[in-house]
Amino acid sequence: MTSAPDRPGAVLPLRPELAGLEPYGAPQLDVPVLLNVNENPYAPSEQVVADVAAAVAEAARGLNRYPDRDFAALRADLADYLAAESGVRLDPAQVWAANGSNEIMLHVLQAFGGPGRTALSFAPTYSMYPEYARDTSTAWVVGRRAEDFSIDAEHARATIAEHAPSVVLLASPNNPTGTALPADTVRVVLDAAAHVPGGCVVVVDEAYGEFRRTGTPSALELLGDHPHLAVSRTMSKAFGLAGARVGYLAASTALVDALRVVRLPYHLSAVTQAVARAALAHAPELMAQVGALRDERDGLVAWLRARGFVACDSDANFVLFGPFDDREAVWQGLLDRGVLVRVTGPEGWLRVSVGTPAETAAFRDALVEVTGR
């Protein structure tokens, strides 16, 4: 057998804006303590594993057939889960799902972005947002966040009026800062978006929503009064299903139907649907871990502040901390001691995911050694 040569020098018609770019991704390194990509540190229980395996085995018996392209059963299960988690009852037709919240966001930009249109957010925020815009040939504009990483309502109103975006992306809790948006701020953005000529969709990205502190509202509570609002969630974080790649969105049926137009046929496999439904059946058990992670997070924030660092209040499963004159050196020092965190966000800051108590202790010990605090 001969192999086809990889001929160098071929001219490929790559889009100019993609020339020289590297694929998105955090470092994947084999170290003892991985605290860089906001994963849930707790693996599924043996009962969850067994139930997922049984569901996948059942799905495998029908893999010669295409899956339910509108995954009605999964949407009903997600609607039930959101009702229990947030107290907001939705019709299953108001729920959409895809391969991670990344694909959800791409669907939104495919449906409502595009050439001649603008997507807007407020920096610092999730670093994938401009890539969704780029990939859909949507112009990208960022407003500013305040020093405490909040969004000034009047600045938001003015920025939306100036740029007339077709999509506004608001992460709450925000990544990488961990800060959540007050409902009043979201209402101001929704009101400003309602006055954009031609319409504007506002997406509140609640990827870390289950980790919010008591008293922090979910934007799901605003859906009934705002048909141009969408709230996205994921099963990667609270459910500990990062490897399953399941994200979902709640919105008006009209908005969801627009996403159904741009999705690829049968985009959510039968296996993915089976895994998600089996995990949702264990929601109470999996949510019990969320409470433990919240406690671990709050304890870590208090410890960092006691050591003289600035640590942001967090409603997520990570903490942004600093500032450092040379954050790369601190990052490397932690890595040399077997702890991987993330260099992201404003200059001088680092982000650490909340791990198990043992992982948090390893991080604390390493940080003391590196910084001398």
Side-chain angles (χ1 to χ4, degrees):
M1 179 182 294
T2 59
S3 60
D6 185 6
R7 297 178 183 272
V11 177
L12 301 174
L14 184 68
R15 288 164 46 190
E17 66 269 26
L18 302 181
L21 296 183
E22 295 291 330
Y24 171 87
Q28 291 182 300
L29 304 175
D30 185 15
V31 298
V33 182
L34 297 171
L35 299 175
N36 68 321
V37 289
N38 304 337
E39 295 164 322
N40 189 320
Y42 296 106
S45 70
E46 288 304 314
Q47 186 59 59
V48 173
V49 170
D51 288 353
V52 166
V56 169
E58 182 61 29
R61 296 185 176 93
L63 288 182
N64 58 311
R65 304 293 184 186
Y66 286 113
D68 178 356
R69 62 174 175 257
D70 288 324
F71 41 92
L74 174 57
R75 291 162 80 182
D77 287 352
L78 287 168
D80 287 343
Y81 164 71
L82 288 176
E85 193 275 336
S86 70
V88 178
R89 167 54 66 183
L90 301 170
D91 187 282
Q94 293 179 260
V95 180
W96 186 241
N99 294 284
S101 57
N102 304 102
E103 190 178 34
I104 288 288
M105 292 296 184
L106 192 61
H107 285 172
V108 171
L109 270 292
Q110 286 175 318
F112 302 108
R117 295 188 170 195
T118 298
L120 183 149
S121 192
F122 299 87
T125 193
Y126 185 35
S127 57
M128 274 297 296
Y129 289 163
E131 298 198 18
Y132 304 141
R134 178 202 68 200
D135 293 347
T136 56
S137 298
T138 306
W140 176 247
V141 172
V142 288
R144 67 177 185 274
R145 286 177 180 259
E147 287 189 9
D148 63 356
F149 305 123
S150 63
I151 295 176
D152 178 77
E154 291 312 309
H155 169 68
R157 191 188 301 277
T159 305
I160 292 169
E162 177 184 358
H163 295 284
S166 59
V167 178
V168 175
L169 300 174
L170 301 175
S172 181
N174 186 42
N175 183 3
T177 64
T179 45
L181 290 173
D184 286 346
T185 302
V186 178
R187 288 189 184 95
V188 168
V189 172
L190 287 165
D191 178 69
H195 289 86
V196 171
C200 175
V201 168
V202 176
V203 182
V204 178
D205 180 357
E206 293 188 346
Y208 304 92
E210 285 91 344
F211 295 99
R212 64 191 187 276
R213 291 170 293 174
T214 301
T216 302
S218 167
L220 290 165
E221 298 173 15
L222 305 177
L223 278 175
D225 297 325
H226 300 282
H228 59 307
L229 169 65
V231 181
S232 67
R233 291 283 188 97
T234 181
M235 296 185 72
S236 294
K237 312 300 181 182
F239 278 85
L241 285 184
R245 308 306 300 129
V246 182
Y248 57 102
L249 171 149
S252 66
T253 54
L255 197 156
V256 168
D257 284 346
L259 305 186
R260 295 172 63 216
V261 172
V262 300
R263 62 102 170 97
L264 293 174
Y266 310 107
H267 72 287
L268 208 58
S269 77
V271 170
T272 299
Q273 294 179 43
V275 170
R277 295 195 68 204
L280 283 164
H282 288 272
E285 170 191 341
L286 294 168
M287 290 307 103
Q289 297 174 347
V290 170
L293 290 169
R294 284 196 202 102
D295 292 342
E296 193 72 19
R297 171 201 66 204
D298 294 343
L300 180 56
V301 168
W303 181 86
L304 286 164
R305 290 172 176 171
R307 289 281 172 170
F309 300 102
V310 178
C312 297
D313 287 333
S314 177
D315 284 278
N317 69 334
F318 57 83
V319 178
L320 188 74
F321 69 103
F324 301 98
D325 292 334
D326 187 349
R327 66 174 173 178
E328 296 282 353
V330 176
W331 178 86
Q332 186 63 56
L334 293 172
L335 181 61
D336 292 343
R337 290 160 177 79
V339 179
L340 181 61
V341 300
R342 186 76 179 269
V343 177
T344 188
E347 188 63 35
W349 296 76
L350 294 170
R351 191 192 70 197
V352 58
S353 307
V354 177
T356 64
E359 290 170 335
T360 300
F363 163 74
R364 291 197 306 259
D365 292 344
L367 187 62
V368 169
E369 288 185 18
V370 171
T371 64
R373 295 195 194 181

